[in-house]
Amino acid sequence: MAEPTSPWLFPYIGVEESPDQFSEVRRPSVRTSLAGPAGSTPYVYALVDSGSEHTLAGPWVPQTIGVEPTYELQIGIGGKPRLVRFADVTLRVIRHGGQDPAESIVWDAPVGFFDQWEPPWAIVLGQRGFFDQFTVTMNRAAMTLAIEDKEIFDQRYEPFILPGE
């Protein structure tokens, strides 16, 4: 896996008008592509969701990239259980403003695929498959997300970790 050599910063993107109609709803997101033996998806904005246990994607992706899910789990989404089929895939996040795929972070992880999917996000980056790969910092006030090497967290906070934790 290629690690970001310094923090990669991504601005939150506007996705919809807020209910009060005076401001835009903005979400942490990064341009992401999924790849398998048959190819890759285009880069699309993926929601970075610290509340999602898994990294998830739409039902059209396995066929597009040529992967066959190998196991299933029932997970709770939107207040109800849903069946999700998982396969190991290659994920890529391209640097903000980047156009060259060489400016991507690349890693392998399990991704869950639904039978039905509701937009606006084609991909949700969750705890397993994204947050376990990097040090991820989200700052609502700055409307910015930072991705760094996962070892940065240990280096930054080691003096504050209490024995036995």
Side-chain angles (χ1 to χ4, degrees):
M1 168 173 62
E3 298 284 351
T5 55
S6 60
W8 282 25
L9 302 177
F10 300 86
Y12 284 25
I13 65 165
V15 293
E16 60 192 44
E17 204 172 272
S18 69
D20 64 18
Q21 300 181 2
F22 295 108
S23 61
E24 183 178 48
V25 174
R26 301 181 66 76
R27 298 284 184 248
S29 62
V30 295
R31 286 184 50 224
T32 306
S33 173
L34 302 179
S40 61
T41 65
Y43 280 97
V44 296
Y45 282 101
L47 176 66
V48 176
D49 185 354
S50 64
S52 177
E53 182 65 19
H54 302 279
T55 294
L56 306 166
W60 60 90
V61 176
Q63 185 175 6
T64 301
I65 65 174
V67 296
E68 187 64 40
T70 57
Y71 65 96
E72 298 177 342
L73 290 176
Q74 284 251 325
I75 63 173
I77 297 285
K80 61 183 175 184
R82 294 189 50 194
L83 186 64
V84 180
R85 300 174 309 129
F86 285 83
D88 291 329
V89 303
T90 299
L91 294 96
R92 294 183 175 99
V93 168
I94 196 163
R95 183 185 289 274
H96 174 68
Q99 299 299 320
D100 182 357
E103 293 185 276
S104 295
I105 305 166
V106 179
W107 72 100
D108 294 328
V111 173
F113 303 99
F114 288 106
D115 288 333
Q116 295 181 336
W117 188 264
E118 296 86 30
W121 305 100
I123 302 168
V124 174
L125 299 172
Q127 293 290 329
R128 295 181 187 179
F130 184 68
F131 283 86
D132 61 352
Q133 301 294 314
F134 306 101
T135 294
V136 180
T137 305
M138 296 185 284
N139 186 297
R140 175 71 180 181
M143 294 286 182
T144 301
L145 165 92
I147 300 173
E148 299 175 89
D149 182 308
K150 67 181 171 184
E151 312 310 331
I152 293 295
F153 185 89
D154 293 337
Q155 294 168 11
R156 188 176 293 148
Y157 295 107
E158 182 180 24
F160 304 103
I161 298 173
L162 300 174
E165 291 190 61

